[in-house]
């Protein structure tokens, strides 16, 4: 019973933009910290960004800071990841994650996970 569903991935050229969406169901979405992780082939899952449940404060890993933006629309129970200036090294499966009243956004022990959406950046 999947509660988070990602969409918006695809194949783009370096320098292009993509916007990912994460739609939740059966959750009081506003009470959950939401994060995006990614996993490239042969590599471990990596934290990308998160947005807090309490005050919408955002966190970013250094490699995407200034290029990616996380946001949320609680009325639609949706989180977004706007990705600009995409690079080859951004190629990965991107996962949405959520946890109720979570205060350690960079950690990976989230309660709910989506199935992932593929982002491929080519030259």
């Amino acid at each position: 019973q999947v509660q988070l569903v990602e969409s918006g991935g695809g194949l783009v050229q370096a320098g292009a933009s993509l916007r990912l969406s994460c739609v939740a169901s059966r959750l009081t979405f506003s009470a959950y910290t939401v994060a995006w992780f990614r996993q490239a082939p042969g590599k471990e899952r990596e934290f990308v960004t998160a947005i807090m449940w309490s005050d919408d404060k955002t966190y970013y890993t250094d490699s995407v800071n200034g290029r990616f933006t996380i946001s949320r629309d609680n009325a639609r129970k949706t989180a977004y990841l706007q990705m600009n200036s995409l690079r080859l090294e951004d190629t990965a499966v991107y996962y949405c994650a959520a946890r109720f009243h979570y205060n350690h956004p960079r950690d990976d022990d989230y309660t709910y996970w989506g199935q992932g959406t593929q982002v491929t950046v080519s030259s």
Side-chain angles (χ1 to χ4, degrees):
Q1 294 184 330
V2 179
Q3 297 185 18
L4 302 174
V5 179
E6 304 97 330
S7 64
L11 173 63
V12 299
Q13 291 187 318
S17 297
L18 280 175
R19 190 190 194 195
L20 307 183
S21 297
C22 171
V23 180
S25 62
R26 300 179 298 279
L27 296 175
T28 306
F29 192 68
S30 62
Y32 286 74
T33 292
V34 178
W36 289 93
F37 291 78
R38 66 187 181 186
Q39 187 166 25
K43 297 184 178 180
E44 295 186 354
R45 188 174 59 205
E46 174 193 23
F47 171 81
V48 178
T49 182
I51 184 166
M52 299 297 294
W53 69 275
S54 53
D55 59 1
D56 283 351
K57 184 176 180 179
T58 57
Y59 300 82
Y60 297 91
T61 192
D62 287 344
S63 63
V64 309
N65 196 23
R67 300 187 297 121
F68 291 10
T69 302
I70 188 172
S71 61
R72 65 193 300 164
D73 184 338
N74 291 331
R76 296 183 177 183
K77 296 186 176 182
T78 303
Y80 304 96
L81 179 61
Q82 179 67 45
M83 305 185 294
N84 298 328
S85 302
L86 283 162
R87 305 167 179 170
L88 293 177
E89 56 264 38
D90 295 320
T91 295
V93 177
Y94 283 71
Y95 297 92
C96 180
R99 184 170 176 174
F100 182 74
H101 286 184
Y102 197 39
N103 295 318
H104 300 89
R106 295 181 182 271
D107 292 350
D108 64 356
D109 54 338
Y110 283 79
T111 306
Y112 301 101
W113 293 83
Q115 83 291 340
T117 185
Q118 177 71 49
V119 172
T120 303
V121 184
S122 67
S123 62

